[in-house]
Amino acid sequence: MVRFMKLLTRDERPPGEEPVSDLVPELEVSRAKRVRVLLAAACAPLLFSFTAIAAVLAAVSFGADRSRFSASGALLAAGPGWLASWQVELDLGGHPLGVLPLLPTLFVGWLVARAAARAARRGGGRTPADAIPVVTVIAGAHALFGVLVALLAGGSPVDVNALTAFCVPGLLAGLAAIAGVARVCGLPASVRDRFDPVAIQGLRAGALGLAALIACGAVVFTAATALSWSTVDSLFEPGFGASFGLFVLSVAYLPNAVVAALSFTTGPGFSVGSLTVGMFGYQEGQLPGVPVLAGVPSHHAVWWPALLLLPALVGALVGWRIRAIDEDPMLRMRAVAVAGALVAFGCVILGTLAGGRLGDGPFDPVSVPVGVASVIAFCWIVVPGGFVAFFAGAHEAPEPPGEPEVEDSAEAGEEPVESEAEEPAEEPEAELDEEFDEEAEEELARELGEDLDETPAEPAVEPEPEPEPEQDIAVDDAVTESTEGSGDESAPGDDR
């Protein structure tokens, strides 16, 4: 708006005579304000997440029937709980706990992304370079806080690796901060300028496909839990405290269960200790008495392969999304391959975060075969998606035969060669004119009695002349007269 007003009020005067402008330039953010903004972005999500985790643990401890509530104990347990929310593996009395809930991770990541976006807006961030201080400060603060918690928990029953406590929260917090400042600092536009447009379209379709696969896993998990509701109800104890703790635990592990259902829907399945549940195989084993696992089937069913229709439909959806990006089918197939690679990579990340060690008992480990799951997910996207993208998209129409040669000769500047039949088209008219001129000269010679000194010139090129009888007689007479006249040299005074 300011630039538009400047154009409207521009004064066409010589340089040096322009009036002083009353417009005030935009004020830059001071360095002190930027420091305050960065500190707030680094500390706010830390304090809020730590307080929220401490409050949840205190509520669970307070509601438990056979436990004694302690505020200091809740605060001490909040530190390892905060590390667990950032997927840092804990050691409980010598027993590893690596299968950690994903819902708290999503919550703390959302807090960090929101704080980073707010800091970028308040600090005047407009370019990707402006996002570097925000991301660096937030990631560094979470890494240092993780080390501090690990050091403070050294003498307690909960043991944490200091290096893991430094790297994992810093890395995940940095990724969450990048996601928060992406739109504010124009990161998507800079990425689009540097990458192939076909690859960008493939990444978008891959994100859609991964979200659709997660939705399929959520649908399968919800249906299995609803069908096993009687088992879910039996796992909750009559008392409020224990039931509340089981409810909080089940809600925290809901994303993990959805990822396991996603792996089951695509084919590979999952395992909990000795129990293995797959689309084409089943091995019995024990399960922990947690309501979130109530939907796990107790035996194999013949109709399970019908669920494979869901990932096939997701692949077709990806192909339908890509079908209109370009008229070249090969470019569309390349975009499908990019989408499949993104989905496979996403399945590896989700499977790694959803599983882990669960003590040393019969339920250890909880795992998803990430290698097989990623390959199968890639195939579910590429095969049906490539088929739909290739045949449902536009195709270049074939050129009609004969036209390319004409176009090539015209582009090369060659003049079209006339056929031989067109060259002698005017020859009959020329022959008629010459014959008419000869006849007119002969008649004029007869009337005036003039002798022709030389014979009329015949046409230079004449295929097969056929002279008329009268023309031949006239020519012979003229030749005889001229010969007699030229041979009579002895009579100079003779009249001609």
Side-chain angles (χ1 to χ4, degrees), residues 29-91:
V29 180
S30 62
R31 187 172 182 179
K33 184 178 179 180
R34 287 186 177 180
V35 171
R36 292 195 301 269
V37 169
L38 291 177
L39 289 176
C43 298
L46 281 174
L47 296 176
F48 192 85
S49 59
F50 185 84
T51 304
I53 292 172
V56 172
L57 293 177
V60 172
S61 177
F62 181 78
D65 296 334
R66 295 180 295 273
S67 65
R68 186 175 180 181
F69 174 74
S70 173
S72 60
L75 289 176
L76 291 176
W82 184 88
L83 290 176
S85 67
W86 285 108
Q87 297 297 310
V88 177
E89 184 176 351
L90 306 178
D91 192 294

Side-chain angles (χ1 to χ4, degrees), residues 18 30 111 141 148 161 164 173 199 219 227 250 303-304 307 325 334 336 339 342 356:
E18 296 87 356
S30 62
L111 289 177
L148 179 62
N161 188 355
T164 305
V219 169
L227 293 175
S250 298
W303 59 269
W304 283 357
L307 296 175
I325 65 172
R334 191 173 70 178
V336 171
L342 179 63

Side-chain angles (χ1 to χ4, degrees), residues 173-252:
L175 294 176
I178 292 174
V181 300
R183 288 186 175 274
V184 179
C185 297
L187 292 180
S190 62
V191 170
R192 285 195 300 267
D193 295 339
R194 288 173 173 79
F195 280 79
D196 185 11
V198 176
I200 295 296
Q201 294 293 337
L203 291 176
R204 291 178 177 176
L208 174 63
L210 184 59
L213 286 179
I214 295 174
C216 292
V219 169
V220 171
F221 169 75
T222 303
T225 305
L227 293 175
S228 305
W229 187 252
S230 59
T231 306
V232 174
D233 188 28
S234 63
L235 292 175
F236 285 104
E237 297 183 6
F240 172 77
S243 299
F244 179 72
L246 286 175
F247 175 78
V248 172
L249 185 65
S250 298
V251 171

Side-chain angles (χ1 to χ4, degrees), residues 399-414:
E399 297 181 356
E403 291 187 359
E405 298 180 359
V406 176
E407 293 178 357
D408 295 341
S409 62
E411 292 178 359
E414 298 178 356

